[in-house]
């Protein structure tokens, strides 16, 4: 039951904190420093909000659709994805907070993962039952600033459906 409560709490935070973009005027070109690699994005408009999803492969499994969330401090993996990918739990639990309250959730190690063809550094993820809708699909994880900040800079191109990160 605590895991379901934490999942409901995190989903409220995820949906509230997913990338939201409202453009009021035409932007000019923005140059990112240096050359870049590209990760395909699936951009979805929902009720005046724009959500960006990236394909993430973990330990050769997937790809799974992860919400791109620069405002989230920690990346999240659905518990079914953690099982499929054989992630090792650390024994640590982290406190998650949101509009519905707080809860403690387990942490797992990710040794090999990538967004599109871009290899991500090994790290830790919070594991939560994201309870995808019947018929599959839905958010299978969340790629947060803990991972994205490792690149130094990123560019999210909503029009072309591309996430750009520095070349190696």
């Amino acid at each position: 039951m605590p895991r379901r409560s934490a999942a409901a709490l995190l989903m409220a935070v995820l949906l509230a904190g997913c990338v939201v973009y409202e453009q009021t005027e035409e932007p000019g070109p923005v140059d990112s420093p240096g050359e870049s690699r590209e990760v395909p994005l699936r951009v979805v408009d929902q009720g005046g909000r724009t959500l960006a999803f990236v394909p993430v492969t973990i330990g050769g499994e997937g790809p799974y659709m992860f919400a791109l969330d620069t405002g989230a401090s920690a990346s999240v993996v659905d518990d079914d994805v953690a099982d499929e990918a054989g992630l090792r739990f650390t024994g640590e639990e982290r406190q998650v907070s949101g509009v519905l309250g707080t809860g403690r959730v387990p942490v797992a190690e990710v040794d090999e993962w990538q967004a599109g063809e871009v290899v991500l550094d090994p790290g830790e993820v919070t594991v939560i039952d994201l309870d995808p809708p019947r018929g599959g699909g839905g958010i299978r994880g969340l790629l947060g600033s803990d991972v994205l900040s490792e690149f130094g800079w990123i560019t999210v191109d909503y029009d072309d459906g591309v996430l750009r990160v520095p070349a190696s």
Side-chain angles (χ1 to χ4, degrees):
M1 190 59 123
R3 187 177 245 192
R4 286 263 184 226
S5 296
L9 165 70
L10 186 62
M11 277 310 292
V13 171
L14 291 177
L15 294 177
C18 282
V19 174
V20 176
Y21 179 77
E22 187 172 318
Q23 186 172 327
T24 56
E25 58 185 68
E26 288 295 316
V30 176
D31 293 328
S32 297
E35 294 185 29
S36 64
R37 296 172 286 167
E38 295 184 348
V39 177
L41 290 177
R42 188 177 90 204
V43 179
V44 177
D45 291 317
Q46 286 185 334
R49 293 177 181 243
T50 302
L51 306 176
F53 297 91
V54 293
V56 174
T57 305
I58 302 173
E61 299 292 329
Y64 306 103
M65 294 313 289
F66 276 42
L68 180 67
D69 190 349
T70 59
S73 60
S75 294
V76 174
V77 172
D78 178 71
D79 62 350
D80 289 336
V81 171
D83 288 343
E84 288 173 26
L87 297 184
R88 290 182 317 276
F89 288 86
T90 65
E92 176 188 356
E93 289 188 340
R94 291 194 183 138
Q95 189 84 14
V96 293
S97 300
V99 294
L100 299 177
T102 61
R104 296 191 66 75
V105 295
V107 175
E109 294 177 354
V110 182
D111 295 325
E112 295 178 30
W113 60 336
Q114 59 190 56
E117 298 297 319
V118 176
V119 174
L120 304 173
D121 289 339
E124 294 182 341
V125 293
T126 302
V127 179
I128 296 189
D129 181 2
L130 296 177
D131 207 16
R134 290 189 177 161
I139 297 173
R140 303 306 307 272
L142 177 106
L143 203 57
S145 64
D146 58 331
V147 172
L148 298 172
S149 65
E150 294 294 320
F151 292 110
W153 61 265
I154 64 168
T155 301
V156 180
D157 184 336
Y158 293 94
D159 291 333
D160 291 335
V162 174
L163 169 67
R164 290 186 183 88
V165 299
S168 300

